[in-house]
Amino acid sequence: MAKTLIAFFSRADENYFGGAMRYVKVGNTEIVVNGMKEQISADTFKIEMKAPYSPVYLTCIEEAKKDLRTNARPELTNYLDSIDEYDTVILAYPNYWGTMPMAVYTFLDRYDFTGKTILPLCTNEGSGMGSSEGNIKKLAPGANVKRGLSITGSNAANAGGSVKKWLEDNGLV
């Protein structure tokens, strides 16, 4: 039986929503993932940094920019023993500086995705998928990286219909 993993990075604290900052207890990507878990049977893994970025949005984006410039691979709080049992990996993340957070790079570097299907999902406030799909293809050679889904973060709680159609289009519903 085919198994699906939803691996995701999400950030709560102070976030940017269509021109304004506000504090949230659950990040936009996690909101989308929680809705997705109601639609499909999948295991989940939250990608979390051992030394997380600042809860202050403007400080966080500077820290993320520095990590991107230095091609950092932040250490994660935990790792899966293996991804061998999964055929499909839904990889969900916010758009940081036109790509994924570097913690997602750490996750991708850790495992062999050969023969697996990766479905990218990116939350953002208008910057779309950025270069993340191409970056995933480089980091996971041998994987079948499908077209991703871009979700406006400030609309995360209302994204269920778009997510369901995307999951249907990829044979998961």
Side-chain angles (χ1 to χ4, degrees), residues 2-44:
K3 281 193 79 174
T4 301
L5 171 68
I6 303 170
F8 70 99
F9 179 95
S10 190
R11 182 181 173 279
D13 300 320
E14 187 179 50
N15 272 308
Y16 178 79
F17 293 90
M21 307 290 187
R22 79 171 194 232
Y23 181 86
V24 295
K25 290 183 179 182
V26 178
N28 297 327
T29 306
E30 190 165 359
I31 289 169
V32 174
V33 167
N34 287 340
M36 191 182 311
K37 290 188 307 190
E38 295 176 9
Q39 298 183 40
I40 63 171
S41 175
D43 293 338
T44 57

Side-chain angles (χ1 to χ4, degrees), residues 81 104 121 125:
D81 291 334
V104 178
L121 184 147
E125 283 301 309

Side-chain angles (χ1 to χ4, degrees), residues 16-87:
Y16 178 79
F17 293 90
M21 307 290 187
R22 79 171 194 232
Y23 181 86
V24 295
K25 290 183 179 182
V26 178
N28 297 327
T29 306
E30 190 165 359
I31 289 169
V32 174
V33 167
N34 287 340
M36 191 182 311
K37 290 188 307 190
E38 295 176 9
Q39 298 183 40
I40 63 171
S41 175
D43 293 338
T44 57
F45 176 76
K46 187 171 184 178
I47 300 167
E48 298 180 277
M49 296 168 48
K50 193 168 254 186
Y53 294 136
S54 170
V56 177
Y57 180 78
L58 292 176
T59 304
C60 168
I61 63 171
E62 288 306 313
E63 293 168 341
K65 183 195 281 185
K66 178 179 177 260
D67 277 356
L68 178 62
R69 281 194 193 134
T70 61
N71 201 28
R73 295 298 191 271
E75 188 176 349
L76 305 183
T77 57
N78 61 10
Y79 299 89
L80 295 168
D81 291 334
S82 169
I83 61 164
D84 292 348
E85 66 185 293
Y86 302 104
D87 302 295

